[in-house]
Amino acid sequence: MLTVYGHPLSPNARKVVWALEECGAKYDYKHVDIPKGDQKKPEFLKLNPNGRVPVLDDDGFVLWESNAILWYVADKFGADKIVPGDVKLRAQIDQWMWWQVADLVATARPWRMKLSASRGQALDEKAHAAGVEAAKQPLGILDGHLAGKKHAVGDRFTIADISLAEFVGLCDGAGIDLAPYAHIRSWIAHLAARPAYQKTRPPQK
């Protein structure tokens, strides 16, 4: 049985769930209670020494890092569903997924700050404003890329859409206004209509 360890607030864990749902793959979802520190317990650290979700366990084959898991899921369950066979398109998908890790991840910092504030920690307004400002450049790049497009790569849905969309999805909770990015908003609305998208936030267990 394939098992996914995740938390519903983790955009990286939601990526994996979304991909599995798109492929119609059967899996078991294990809720890792991050606020309670489950990710730092010895039994979890045996799966991922970094102490982070998601982790995929496919009958003893353990894999961490969300984008690596996306490729594994796509190649095992989603051939011609969420990845193309064309080598150039696959390279472009990988390009945008690495860009998400290097640049679009800027949306995560102000989101984490807002999340911590919702749990009672003081919000550093200056640092938060700097984080919001830092997110503008990658959002502008993505918005320009998406002009006239329904998908991030080629003319079909791929794991590049999943990888990018989950981090754009942090903007609302981060206090990042998407009003200036019409192409991003249209793209997200298109993706949100997909049935699998509705299952990217599993109920807590």
Side-chain angles (χ1 to χ4, degrees):
M1 169 63 76
L2 188 149
T3 301
V4 175
Y5 294 81
H7 188 281
L9 288 181
S10 166
N12 287 317
R14 291 196 300 261
K15 289 181 192 176
V16 176
V17 172
W18 187 352
L20 288 165
E21 290 292 338
E22 290 284 351
C23 297
K26 294 182 179 180
Y27 64 96
D28 186 28
Y29 184 87
K30 297 291 187 182
H31 176 71
V32 179
D33 197 331
I34 292 176
K36 290 185 178 179
D38 284 358
Q39 76 279 18
K40 300 300 183 184
K41 292 181 178 179
E43 57 268 31
F44 185 81
L45 292 174
K46 289 180 181 179
L47 296 171
N48 185 354
N50 301 292
R52 294 194 296 264
V53 296
V55 174
L56 179 144
D57 184 345
D58 188 4
D59 287 328
F61 173 70
V62 177
L63 191 64
W64 35 265
E65 289 302 321
S66 61
N67 285 346
I69 297 173
L70 286 185
W71 277 110
Y72 180 78
V73 169
D75 285 332
K76 181 168 182 175
F77 302 105
D80 297 324
K81 291 181 181 178
I82 57 175
V83 289
D86 182 87
V87 66
K88 292 181 180 178
L89 290 176
R90 289 172 70 92
Q92 288 180 328
I93 290 169
D94 210 24
Q95 167 190 276
W96 283 104
M97 291 171 72
W98 278 107
W99 180 82
Q100 175 261 300
V101 173
D103 293 86
L104 193 60
V105 72
T107 61
R109 184 169 183 242
W111 172 74
R112 290 192 188 100
M113 294 175 72
K114 282 282 193 178
L115 181 63
S116 295
S118 73
R119 293 172 174 169
Q121 295 185 24
L123 177 65
D124 184 331
E125 297 284 357
K126 185 176 180 180
H128 178 262
V132 170
E133 185 65 27
K136 290 180 179 179
Q137 182 180 19
L139 288 170
I141 289 172
L142 182 59
D143 192 64
H145 170 70
L146 290 170
K149 298 183 177 73
K150 289 186 176 180
H151 300 294
V153 174
D155 59 1
R156 54 180 285 189
F157 177 85
T158 70
I159 55 175
D161 292 298
I162 294 175
S163 182
L164 296 168
E166 284 295 352
F167 275 78
V168 169
L170 299 179
C171 289
D172 183 51
I176 298 171
D177 184 12
L178 287 179
Y181 311 105
H183 305 305
I184 287 179
R185 288 188 284 107
S186 177
W187 168 70
I188 285 289
H190 177 70
L191 295 179
R194 301 181 71 86
Y197 177 87
Q198 307 301 325
K199 298 181 180 180
T200 60
R201 290 153 181 82
Q204 295 190 21
K205 298 179 181 180

